[in-house]
Amino acid sequence: LISAADYAANYGTYDEKLAKMVAADQAEVDGYYSQVFATTKVDLNGQKDPGVRTEETNLGDFTADAYLYAGREYVKEQGLDISVDVALSNGGGIRASVPAGEITMNDLYTVFPYGNTVALVTITGEQLLEVLEASTFCTPTAIGGFPQIAGAEYTVNTVVPYENGAQYPDSTYYAPANPGSRVTITSIGGKPFDPKANYTVAVNSFQAEGGDTYYVLTQGSYMQDTGIVDAEALISYVDSLGGVIDETYAEPQGRIKIVSKPVENPETTVPEETTEPEKPVEPEVEAPKTEAEVSPTKLYTVVAGDSLWKIAQKELGNGSKWKQIYETNKKQISNPNRIYVGQELVINQ
């Protein structure tokens, strides 16, 4: 703290009366925000890794729900002719867990300490898919942009390699070369995802301004900052629940699935893998086959725009067989995300 004498020497006359008034006001504000105003019956997980930067958590669900609630209440109050469909809360913005028990407003300001505001952005389904793909490009490795979500469900298939497209302006992040190859949006508002439809998304102002992996949000057709501080959105949402966060939030609600297994078609919903027992087959006596008949091969020359996924889809009829091509050629492929035009690859049919 600076002394009154030093203050007067450097900045002018120190007003003792004004300083006491400011201190009294600050004490009143601190007292108000430190009062218990709600309770949570469950621990809310705001850990980083594993946690809000790698996977869906119950606090991630709660914060996204609060954004969605705040956005919809704002639209009603302002009489706007739009529907708020989805909310995204970047995991890096969630800075603390909330243990079960009493909650003060200061607790929720600890979760969201940056003072971002809730914003509404209207984008197309294709743009939403790009946002989710770019923001999970390294999943399951932690990333601050990891999107906790409300109003929709999506799946990330970590088996599919992320291919960099164009670099976002003034950013270290890249757009996905093939949006939808790793991420599938399974539903929005309980309805099938439509890439051509417009969706209004509630996000924080950092995301709306294109922070981290969210550049595409700056390209939306509509943006409105509600002026509602994100921590205040949490407080209002808790109030709407009657001041109690109950067992509804005991566990993540299944909005995000992280899978690491091959799928038949990356453009469709990723199903849970099921195996049927094989039926016994009577052995047949066959003439011995030549090596070429057992494993016919061909040489494939890489062309512009190729990836191992695309080559597997084209040559083997299934993009998820890219690993087969990689294993056969890994002496000459140091990184499965990096192949070059003119390279010859052996394809085992």
Side-chain angles (χ1 to χ4, degrees):
L1 294 175
I2 188 170
S3 69
D6 287 340
Y7 188 93
N10 292 283
Y11 303 104
T13 305
Y14 185 83
D15 191 326
E16 194 75 38
K17 184 178 180 181
L18 179 61
K20 288 181 179 178
M21 291 172 59
V22 170
D25 286 345
Q26 184 63 53
E28 184 178 351
V29 170
D30 290 344
Y32 175 73
Y33 278 93
S34 63
Q35 292 176 3
V36 173
F37 84 104
T39 59
T40 173
K41 294 184 177 181
V42 298
D43 293 326
L44 298 172
N45 177 16
Q47 294 298 309
K48 293 180 181 179
D49 179 15
V52 292
R53 299 184 182 211
T54 61
E55 61 192 5
E56 179 185 0
T57 77
N58 58 352
L59 182 53
D61 287 346
F62 182 78
T63 58
D65 285 345
Y67 280 7
L68 195 61
Y69 172 80
R72 287 174 174 173
E73 288 297 298
Y74 178 83
V75 164
K76 283 193 289 186
E77 291 168 4
Q78 300 298 317
L80 301 178
D81 188 23
I82 59 174
S83 63
V84 184
D85 306 292
V86 180
L88 299 174
S89 175
N90 60 313
I94 300 172
R95 307 301 293 184
S97 297
V98 180
E102 297 177 335
I103 305 175
T104 68
M105 293 183 186
N106 277 337
D107 290 330
L108 298 187
Y109 270 92
T110 302
V111 174
F112 281 149
Y114 296 124
N116 289 313
T117 51
V118 177
L120 305 178
V121 183
T122 301
I123 54 178
T124 66
E126 290 175 337
Q127 289 173 315
L128 176 59
L129 184 61
E130 179 174 336
V131 165
L132 296 178
E133 187 108 23
S135 301
T136 58
F137 80 95
C138 61
T139 302
T141 301
I143 177 175
F146 186 88
Q148 304 290 332
I149 197 166
E153 295 84 37
Y154 70 92
T155 297
V156 184
N157 187 353
T158 61
V159 166
V160 181
Y162 185 87
E163 296 184 41
N164 287 342
Q167 187 170 5
Y168 288 133
D170 303 317
S171 173
T172 58
Y173 295 103
Y174 290 80
N178 303 296
S181 59
R182 274 172 61 92
V183 171
T184 303
I185 300 176
T186 50
S187 67
I188 293 184
K191 298 178 181 178
F193 168 66
D194 182 355
K196 300 301 181 184
N198 286 326
Y199 296 104
T200 298
V201 184
V203 294
N204 64 47
S205 50
F206 172 77
Q207 294 167 284
E209 292 165 3
D212 281 348
T213 50
Y214 288 88
Y215 169 77
V216 176
L217 294 182
T218 67
Q219 307 301 297
S221 59
Y222 171 85
M223 199 283 275
Q224 175 65 50
D225 193 318
T226 68
I228 302 167
V229 176
D230 48 11
E232 293 293 331
L234 293 189
I235 292 167
S236 297
Y237 182 55
V238 175
D239 281 340
S240 77
L241 299 177
V244 178
I245 303 171
D246 63 18
E247 289 79 3
T248 304
Y249 289 100
E251 299 292 338
Q253 297 177 15
R255 303 169 186 180
I256 304 170
K257 292 182 180 177
I258 312 294
V259 299
S260 54
K261 57 190 176 186
V263 292
E264 289 301 316
N265 185 347
E267 297 180 354
T268 62
T269 301
V270 177
E272 291 297 324
E273 190 176 71
T274 58
T275 353
E276 295 183 1
E278 294 184 1
K279 297 178 181 178
V281 179
E282 290 295 325
E284 295 182 3
V285 178
E286 294 183 352
K289 294 183 178 180
T290 66
E291 183 177 349
E293 289 174 322
V294 172
S295 180
T297 61
K298 66 174 287 187
L299 284 180
Y300 177 86
T301 303
V302 177
V303 298
D306 267 345
S307 67
L308 292 185
W309 180 280
K310 289 182 179 179
I311 296 170
Q313 187 69 43
K314 187 172 11 177
E315 296 297 321
L316 302 177
N318 186 342
S320 64
K321 291 184 177 181
W322 67 270
K323 275 194 172 182
Q324 176 181 321
I325 299 176
Y326 172 63
E327 289 298 327
T328 303
N329 297 273
K330 63 183 180 181
K331 286 186 178 180
Q332 59 170 316
I333 302 176
S334 57
N335 184 335
N337 293 323
R338 296 286 183 269
I339 56 176
Y340 56 86
V341 175
Q343 187 175 20
E344 288 191 338
L345 303 178
V346 176
I347 308 294
N348 289 325
Q349 300 294 319

